[in-house]
Amino acid sequence: MLEHGGRLLRAARQYGIAVQDWLDLSTGINPVAWPVPEIPARAWHRLPEDDDGLIDVARAYYGAESLWPVAGSQAAIQALPELRAASTVGVLAPGYAEHAQAWRRCGHLVELRGAAELIAQADDFDVIVLIHPNNPGGERFERAALLDLHARLAARGGWLLIDEAFMDATPELSLCGESAREGLIVLRSVGKFFGLAGARAGFVCANEVLLQALRERLGPWTVTGPTRHALRHALTDREWQATMRAQLLAQGERLAALLSAHGLRASGGCAFFQWHRNDEALALHEALARCGVFTRYFEQPRSLRFGLPDDEAQWRRLDTALADVMHERTQP
């Protein structure tokens, strides 16, 4: 099992700080979650039904011709490699490590490359996996370049798989609307933007032939009834979505400015998080943890990812912790 952010209970035990006393910035999840309404008893008592309207609502939200709900994009990440014969797969690195692990687990040859190298050497691969915007680096890609990359792969039966888990704040950059093209697969998550990580829900946008193969692989009832009920409402709440997009974009810039003010200039990031590369990242991570501030540490490359604080009190707490830690590090 790979390491992920959000392991707050373990951090509480390790540092001897009660769970409620932490400022948890270890994930890229929106701290201001969409307000889930009361779930009707029927959603708990009956099996989920595919024709409950969720598909139509999701098509309208993502602008995709065809899609399928899954138990978080992680479910698709693990299942999609099983739908191809042995392939050479180029995966963006550094990036969300579950992609490479899933393809390797199924016997594919996986090569980790930077974005420019992947695009320039596309003919070396049967499948290319991009995260857009990237996690943790925040890299973004031009629409024309992505469509050209897809065309080069699809011409010889290849796939371009794009993980858009952090795309909701900038939907104009999404390729969901092009996902009916053969060989183009776009993954979306509701956990990040809507703050509903516990719902374990996402969508795969692709052509119908591939979606049918994926449905057969995953089996029935991929998303629970209560989650389907919540998603039908969340995906149609346009007022909340518009307000939250503006708020997240502003908060992402604010976080980058705060880190820079303390000498931790962002190496990359997006509306949901900022990323700082530093050879002393582990020491910084541990020093902040002793202050009750939980960040996401990466070994390769050594770096920290900072999620967004929730409210003004948390912003002040982060500011104070950064000041204390950086002051301590400058002392002889």
Side-chain angles (χ1 to χ4, degrees):
M1 297 287 288
L2 297 175
E3 284 292 315
H4 295 281
R7 299 295 297 271
L8 190 57
L9 294 177
R10 185 175 65 180
R13 291 191 295 268
Q14 180 179 351
Y15 291 94
I17 300 173
V19 171
Q20 65 271 18
D21 294 331
W22 282 86
L23 171 54
D24 184 8
L25 308 179
S26 67
T27 77
I29 297 167
N30 180 3
V32 185
W34 179 77
V36 178
E38 182 177 353
I39 303 296
R42 177 185 175 87
W44 295 102
H45 296 164
R46 297 186 59 82
L47 288 171
E49 300 186 60
D50 296 338
D51 56 355
D52 60 358
L54 176 60
I55 294 292
D56 293 334
V57 166
R59 283 174 178 160
Y61 176 78
Y62 293 113
E65 183 176 321
S66 54
L67 49 70
W68 192 250
V70 291
S73 50
Q74 181 64 37
I77 288 169
Q78 293 183 211
L80 286 169
E82 299 180 6
L83 303 183
R84 282 192 68 95
S87 301
T88 301
V89 183
V91 179
L92 179 61
Y96 186 57
E98 291 285 351
H99 286 287
Q101 174 151 302
W103 286 93
R104 287 193 181 109
R105 186 186 295 121
C106 291
H108 301 278
L109 175 63
V110 174
E111 297 186 21
L112 303 179
R113 305 279 181 89
E117 193 174 1
L118 281 176
I119 294 172
Q121 300 179 8
D123 293 341
D124 294 344
F125 303 104
D126 305 304
V127 177
I128 289 179
V129 179
L130 298 177
I131 304 99
H132 185 211
N134 191 21
N135 170 27
E139 294 96 324
R140 295 167 178 80
F141 305 94
E142 293 291 336
R143 179 184 185 85
L146 290 176
L147 292 176
D148 178 69
L149 176 61
H150 161 257
R152 292 166 63 188
L153 291 163
R156 44 193 177 79
W159 287 358
L160 174 60
L161 173 59
I162 305 178
D163 183 345
E164 291 187 350
F166 291 99
M167 182 59 77
D168 295 69
T170 52
E172 67 278 3
L173 302 179
S174 173
L175 281 192
C176 284
E178 307 293 339
S179 59
R181 303 184 186 206
E182 185 174 355
L184 179 59
I185 307 164
V186 182
L187 307 183
R188 296 297 292 259
S189 168
V190 302
K192 310 301 188 300
F193 178 66
F194 291 96
L196 300 178
R200 302 311 309 136
F203 293 87
V204 180
C205 305
N207 69 74
E208 280 292 350
V209 174
L210 186 141
L211 290 178
Q212 179 60 34
L214 182 64
R215 289 196 291 267
E216 292 177 1
R217 168 64 186 82
L218 294 175
W221 312 306
T222 54
V223 175
T224 68
T227 293
R228 296 181 73 99
H229 174 84
L231 292 186
R232 289 200 305 274
H233 293 275
L235 295 176
T236 55
D237 192 345
R238 301 298 188 184
E239 182 177 353
W240 184 91
Q241 294 161 16
T243 299
M244 190 51 58
R245 287 190 184 105
Q247 180 173 318
L248 285 170
L249 289 168
Q251 297 290 65
E253 293 179 359
R254 179 180 179 181
L255 180 58
L258 178 61
L259 294 174
S260 182
H262 289 285
L264 302 176
R265 184 173 180 178
S267 306
C270 65
F272 297 85
F273 59 81
Q274 296 296 319
W275 183 55
H276 173 70
R277 292 184 63 165
N278 192 313
D279 287 341
E280 299 181 2
L282 180 57
L284 287 168
H285 171 76
E286 292 176 342
L288 286 166
R290 289 192 291 271
C291 296
V293 176
F294 194 28
T295 60
R296 174 73 164 93
Y297 169 66
F298 295 87
E299 287 187 356
Q300 292 296 330
R302 292 189 181 91
S303 54
L304 295 181
R305 189 186 64 197
F306 293 79
L308 297 174
D310 185 358
D311 53 29
E312 288 302 317
Q314 290 193 2
W315 281 99
R316 289 193 296 270
R317 181 175 176 185
L318 176 59
D319 189 13
T320 299
L322 288 170
D324 290 345
V325 166
M326 298 310 290
H327 175 73
E328 179 182 310
R329 293 178 63 78
T330 61
Q331 297 306 298

